[in-house]
Amino acid sequence: MRRPLAAVLAVALLVAPVWAQQQEPFEPEGYRTDNYRAPVPATLAGARVLTIGEAEAIWRANSGVFVDVMPRPPKPKNLPEGTVWRDAPRRNIPGSIWLPDTGYGTLPPSMDDYLQRGLARASRGDKAALLVIYCLADCWMSWNAAKRALTYGYAKIAWFPDGTDGWEAAKLPTEDAKPEPRPDQ
């Protein structure tokens, strides 16, 4: 009876690492276009992937610009008169520039231009400036935006996959955020 159990355990120990590797998301060739709040890959080709400690060191040294790409629903244009609209609050890493809705897998031309202009402002036109792109933990929007920034020719893109979730969990400071005005505003 012990031999069959030992054999099953041995097989399980051999298969478990392979199964775990299959569960880790792979880095797609293109952009993620759905299910944006899901586990993200551990890599982004061409970008530096930051831990919380590395992101904090860059922030404390003021050696990079942090770019938040967390989405935000815009105020509907056809609200009845007198309707009160309250934007959902967002707290981000102090000093960040917030470019909402720029991490979707497909961007309309106006949003693509908005992202390009926002990154140019953040980098002061220097494509060699360090840009740290983030959102929330397990958020493909930051992965997409960082990948897109690489295609724009930025040489020092850092992707911070833990985003504000990891930042706050590490008890690091945040501040109330105001997004950069969108093209449709």
Side-chain angles (χ1 to χ4, degrees), residues 108-124:
S110 63
M111 288 305 289
D112 186 70
D113 182 63
Y114 170 71
L115 176 58
Q116 288 190 55
R117 286 184 292 110
L119 294 177
R121 270 193 320 278
S123 67
R124 296 188 175 154

Side-chain angles (χ1 to χ4, degrees), residues 19-44:
W19 183 77
Q21 285 177 342
Q22 291 173 346
Q23 299 304 308
E24 184 176 300
F26 64 93
E27 185 175 332
E29 287 184 34
Y31 300 105
R32 176 78 171 242
T33 58
D34 63 1
N35 195 20
Y36 294 106
R37 286 304 307 268
V40 294
T43 60
L44 174 54

Side-chain angles (χ1 to χ4, degrees), residues 68 70-72 90 92 96-100 114 177-180:
D68 182 3
M70 176 76 175
R72 181 180 208 178
R90 170 76 173 144
N92 64 20
S96 295
I97 179 173
W98 184 13
L99 301 171
Y114 170 71
K178 297 285 182 224
E180 294 293 309

Side-chain angles (χ1 to χ4, degrees), residues 82-183:
T83 303
V84 176
W85 174 263
R86 289 195 174 91
D87 286 314
R90 170 76 173 144
R91 296 191 60 80
N92 64 20
I93 298 168
S96 295
I97 179 173
W98 184 13
L99 301 171
D101 303 320
T102 56
Y104 288 106
T106 303
L107 292 180
S110 63
M111 288 305 289
D112 186 70
D113 182 63
Y114 170 71
L115 176 58
Q116 288 190 55
R117 286 184 292 110
L119 294 177
R121 270 193 320 278
S123 67
R124 296 188 175 154
D126 180 3
K127 292 212 171 178
L130 175 60
L131 298 175
V132 178
I133 299 178
Y134 71 95
C135 178
L136 301 171
D138 289 332
C139 179
W140 280 86
M141 293 214 173
S142 59
W143 190 92
N144 283 344
K147 182 177 181 81
R148 194 167 270 120
L150 289 166
T151 68
Y152 298 155
Y154 287 92
K156 291 184 182 175
I157 295 299
W159 173 47
F160 179 41
D162 290 322
T164 51
D165 292 334
W167 192 264
E168 289 174 340
K171 308 257 186 272
L172 293 166
T174 59
E175 66 183 9
D176 289 333
K178 297 285 182 224
E180 294 293 309
R182 294 179 225 220

